[in-house]
Amino acid sequence: MERIGYLPSETTFYAGMRVRDVLKLSADLRGKDCSEEAKVLCERLQLDTSKKVDELSFGNKKKVAIVCALQHKPELLILDEPTNHLDFKALSWLENYLDTYKGSILVVSHDRYFIKKLATRIFDMGGGFTMFKAESLTYENIINAFEQGNFYS
């Protein structure tokens, strides 16, 4: 569990918990002290850790979930619709962070721009297993593949 970071598409937290408590609980579940990395991530995402999570906007709840997924520096990130509810600044930060990320990333997303920016391969598992390779990742090819459902190796 400590080697994997998971970001769900929708976030749910215990009612009444403060952001700092959610982050500590997430770190404790992995048996790690992530306080320094959590602090850096919260500053970059402009998250107030003293706020209660149930008082946060959807975008700020997503940011809390992003910090939970990243704070322990996992080898594999599994991100389900990571761009949902994020403002432009947070989205730009996430793109830049992931662009320099050293581990592996598995993303489920409908955000074509996000996919174009970060993907080296696109897998389509509907109706079979096919792959769309990085050298073919032009904007036009991605749009055509999505619209037609054609992903070929």
Side-chain angles (χ1 to χ4, degrees), residues 130-141:
T130 52
M131 180 176 68
F132 198 64
K133 292 185 180 176
E135 54 271 10
S136 303
L137 290 178
T138 65
Y139 180 76
E140 292 78 19
N141 287 346

Side-chain angles (χ1 to χ4, degrees), residues 21-135:
D21 300 326
V22 170
L23 300 178
K24 182 162 179 2
L25 175 62
S26 174
D28 289 348
L29 290 172
R30 290 176 172 83
K32 293 183 100 173
D33 177 6
C34 304
S35 55
E36 287 303 312
E37 185 67 11
K39 181 180 177 185
V40 169
L41 292 168
C42 287
E43 286 172 4
R44 292 188 180 149
L45 288 167
Q46 299 178 328
L47 261 177
D48 181 350
T49 60
S50 67
K51 293 218 173 180
K52 290 186 176 182
V53 289
D54 25 355
E55 297 170 356
L56 298 176
S57 66
F58 287 120
N60 282 329
K61 287 178 183 178
K62 183 65 116 180
K63 290 177 187 180
V64 172
I66 288 170
V67 175
C68 286
L70 300 178
Q71 70 178 344
H72 64 286
K73 300 180 182 177
E75 295 172 25
L76 170 65
L77 283 175
I78 302 172
L79 309 175
D80 189 358
E81 299 293 352
T83 61
N84 283 2
H85 309 297
L86 291 181
D87 58 42
F88 180 75
K89 194 171 184 179
L91 177 57
S92 295
W93 178 86
L94 182 62
E95 287 173 352
N96 290 329
Y97 181 91
L98 295 176
D99 195 37
T100 60
Y101 184 73
K102 302 280 190 249
S104 300
I105 306 169
L106 174 66
V107 177
V108 175
S109 181
H110 292 88
D111 185 335
R112 293 174 180 168
Y113 177 79
F114 186 78
I115 292 168
K116 166 72 173 131
K117 176 121 170 89
L118 296 171
T120 57
R121 288 180 175 78
I122 298 174
F123 296 93
D124 176 22
M125 295 188 202
F129 183 79
T130 52
M131 180 176 68
F132 198 64
K133 292 185 180 176
E135 54 271 10

